[in-house]
Every structure is written in structure tokens, then in C-alpha cells.
Amino acid sequence: MPFPQERPRRMRRTLALRLLIRETDLSSRHLIAPLFVKEGVADPIPIPSMPGHLQHTLESLRKEAREIAEKGVNAFVLFGVPERKDPEGSEAWNPEGIGQRGLKALREELGDDHVVIADLCLDEYTDHGHCGVLAEDGSVDNDRTLELYQRIALAQAHAGVDLVAPSGMMDGQVAAIRRALDDEGFTSTGILAYAAKFASSFYGPFRDAAECAPQFGDRTGYQMDPANSDEALREVRTDIEEGADLVMVKPALPYLDVIRRVKQETGFPLAAYNVSGEYAMVKAAAMNGWIDGRRATLEILAGIRRAGADLILTYHAKEAADWL
Ligand code: PBG
């Protein structure tokens, strides 16, 4: 047979034909924009390793969220960067702390037209930079940390968030937070669980942005081993049983197989976190003229959706919303 029977190129001839058979949709409503708010600064501070991103003041936070919202992005995650840190991270649950003030500002600015999500963790707030309180031997004490997560969840619920997003990878964190919220009557406050969060090298720029690099050791005692995907499924199932409303896999690009498995095997609403290092790589290469930043970004985001993520937390949210 000299000629092929199949002619798939027929359907690639024009953009209209390509759109006709496109399988994966990517639009601004699939994107969640992460933002940083810093206490005690008069002006927003650029984050060098994350071009285009700033540690915001309360005022610039509102303005940025409004601009991004107007581009059709539906949801925001906030990270607070406090002035004062201590071994317990007590600013994390201070009702007047920078995290809660930032969340209230977002709620006020966006009303109920957009989803406000609070990252729930201690590493930005502890002076040692770990995601929980330390035991005598320097390891992170799981169960004492859960009590502190419960306090943070309540402070964030009081600030008016739709969802809290525990990112510390403590055992039992979703159940503990669910119980605390329910006991205080916050039955409508949901949980976006960072269910499978890997101990990744791609969090570097974030640790500059949130000023939360561990002062000793690393996070391999609580975050997952990059080699494991069966374990990721167990983590996700546990979080669903404990009461998560959405689950997340983090980072995204080295874990597309995990995203695919989680979606196929659970069918649960799934977010993927396209993390700071993934963003920084694209920006650095684009700034050097080595890749086309716009095309690379849209290809990456479409790839994460194609793998099975319903939602993507991404630092590209603002620019991608412009391009979509
Ligand atoms: C921990 C947290 C981290 C990120 C989000 N939440 C950092 C870490 O685990 O060290 C990283 C996100 C990113 O790199 O974009 N609270």
C-alpha cells in the first residue's frame, strides 16, 4: 500500500479544524492565582527569583487581586509573610496577623464573586522555618502541630475564607482541621488538601518569596519521596476520607503521572500546583531568549490539564489569563 489510509493531517490544516477536534480546554477559570502579602513594608517588594511577582502591601494586594480577577481568574491563594517569627509560629493564628488581614482585604475586595483560599502552614511563621513545632530531638512534632493548625484554621475561617489549604503534610491534618471548623460552626468552610506534596527542589524561589527556608535540615521527614506514586494515592485517599473537599498534587510537571492516577482512580476534584521553580525555569529561559515564554507557558498549562488536573495553581495565572 503506497499511500496511508489514515489522513490525520486533514484535521490540522486550519486553526478552525484544529479547534474542532481539540480535546483539552484551558481557560482562566481553571487557574488559581497565588499571592504574597508582607507585613510592615511601605511599598511592594519584587521577588527576584519570580519575575513579575511581588511581596505585596495590603493595598497593592487588593489592586493586584482586582486586576487578576478582571481577567477572569476565579480563585486566589494567599501566603502571609510576618514581621515577627517565633518557635511556634504564633503570628499564623493572630486574628490581627498579616495573614488574616490579607485574607480580609481579599474578601472585601472580591466579595463572594471569587474564591478566597488561605494557605495553612507554619513555615512562614516559625523562626526555624519548619512546617510545624519541633520536638526535643529537632524533628517536627506531628500532634502538637495539629493543634496549632486547628487554631490557624479557625483564624482563617473568621477572616472569611471559602477554603483553607493545609500544606504542611502532617498526618491527620485534614481530620483535625475539619473537626475544629465543625466544632466552631464553620461547617461551610471547605478544605483544599495539599494531599500529595513531594519534597521537591522546585520550591526554591517560593522560599525566597515567603522567607521560609528551613534554618536546619530539610522537609524530607514530612513531605513525600519523589519516587513514590502508590503512596501518593494512599495520601490522597486518606485526605478524602478525612474530609477534604478538593485534593492537590504538588509540584505539577515532574508528577504528571501522579496527577493522572489520582484523577483516574478517585474522580475527585483535583488541583495541581505548578510551583515557583517551574515558573522560574520558564521565565529564566524566556528572558534569555532560549524559549518562547508564552507558548511554553500555555503548553505547560494545557499539559497539566491534559494529565487530569481540574485546576492549576500557577504564578502564570495573570499573564496566562491575558493570553487565553
Ligand atoms: C509550605 C509551602 C511551600 C510551598 C507552598 N506551601 C514551600 C515548602 O514546602 O517548602 C511552595 C510553593 C512553590 O514553590 O511555589 N507552606
Side-chain angles (χ1 to χ4, degrees):
M1 188 68 198
F3 297 110
Q5 296 290 303
E6 298 280 330
R7 291 278 179 190
R9 286 187 52 195
R10 197 181 278 147
M11 295 303 289
R12 294 178 196 146
R13 191 172 51 83
T14 65
L15 177 61
L17 283 166
R18 292 193 294 274
L19 282 175
L20 198 66
I21 58 161
R22 181 167 288 176
E23 298 173 33
T24 307
D25 269 330
L26 175 67
S27 77
S28 50
R29 80 158 189 95
H30 299 121
L31 308 178
I32 302 178
L35 294 170
F36 301 94
V37 63
K38 185 170 163 73
E39 187 170 34
V41 291
D43 296 301
I45 303 172
I47 304 162
S49 52
M50 300 177 68
H53 280 270
L54 306 154
Q55 293 177 315
H56 285 286
T57 65
L58 285 166
E59 204 186 304
S60 71
L61 175 72
R62 279 178 187 255
K63 198 167 150 274
E64 179 73 356
R66 160 89 9 237
E67 272 179 37
I68 298 174
E70 276 163 10
K71 297 177 192 295
V73 173
N74 184 35
F76 297 83
V77 178
L78 186 67
F79 297 92
V81 187
E83 233 171 351
R84 200 180 59 81
K85 303 187 188 224
D86 60 29
E88 288 210 302
S90 59
E91 277 301 296
W93 60 87
N94 178 355
E96 294 306 317
I98 188 63
Q100 275 60 260
R101 287 168 61 205
L103 293 168
K104 281 186 222 163
L106 286 182
R107 182 89 283 162
E108 247 179 59
E109 189 66 33
L110 304 169
D112 276 338
D113 296 338
H114 296 84
V115 177
V116 176
I117 306 171
D119 182 79
L120 193 168
C121 200
L122 279 167
D123 57 330
E124 300 96 328
Y125 298 93
T126 52
D127 51 15
H128 45 74
H130 279 285
C131 296
V133 275
L134 302 180
E136 300 262 303
D137 65 0
S139 67
V140 172
D141 185 328
N142 193 85
D143 297 6
R144 274 180 58 223
T145 298
L146 293 185
E147 289 169 29
L148 303 185
Y149 285 1
Q150 291 178 316
R151 291 187 208 176
I152 305 173
L154 292 177
Q156 294 174 335
H158 274 287
V161 300
D162 297 291
L163 304 170
V164 298
S167 62
M169 288 301 280
M170 294 302 124
D171 294 337
Q173 62 185 14
V174 173
I177 290 166
R178 187 68 269 159
R179 193 169 343 111
L181 290 171
D182 288 348
D183 285 353
E184 291 291 315
F186 290 109
T187 51
S188 315
T189 307
I191 301 176
L192 162 58
Y194 287 70
K197 175 172 175 180
F198 291 88
S200 172
S201 59
F202 290 98
Y203 304 150
F206 174 94
R207 291 176 187 173
D208 298 338
E211 302 173 14
C212 65
Q215 296 306 298
F216 64 89
D218 56 32
R219 302 204 206 291
T220 51
Y222 37 103
Q223 298 179 348
M224 284 185 52
D225 183 335
N228 294 359
S229 91
D230 289 340
E231 187 190 357
L233 258 297
R234 291 198 296 276
E235 283 279 4
V236 168
R237 291 211 173 91
T238 306
D239 281 7
I240 293 172
E241 279 160 23
E242 290 184 18
D245 299 283
L246 302 96
V247 292
M248 184 151 69
V249 171
K250 174 183 175 185
L253 294 182
Y255 302 96
L256 292 176
D257 59 318
V258 177
I259 292 171
R260 162 56 59 97
R261 277 193 74 187
V262 167
K263 191 63 193 175
Q264 275 187 338
E265 294 183 33
T266 72
F268 219 66
L270 174 63
Y273 200 146
N274 176 220
V275 301
S276 59
E278 299 175 310
Y279 174 81
M281 286 195 300
V282 172
K283 287 289 162 195
M287 283 160 71
N288 273 299
W290 295 339
I291 59 171
D292 176 333
R294 173 178 169 155
R295 286 188 56 203
T297 298
L298 294 175
E299 185 175 338
I300 285 169
L301 296 176
I304 298 169
R305 287 267 305 139
R306 194 187 63 243
D310 300 297
L311 300 165
I312 309 171
L313 263 89
T314 178
Y315 302 97
H316 294 292
K318 187 181 187 180
E319 56 187 5
D322 265 337
W323 298 332
L324 288 168

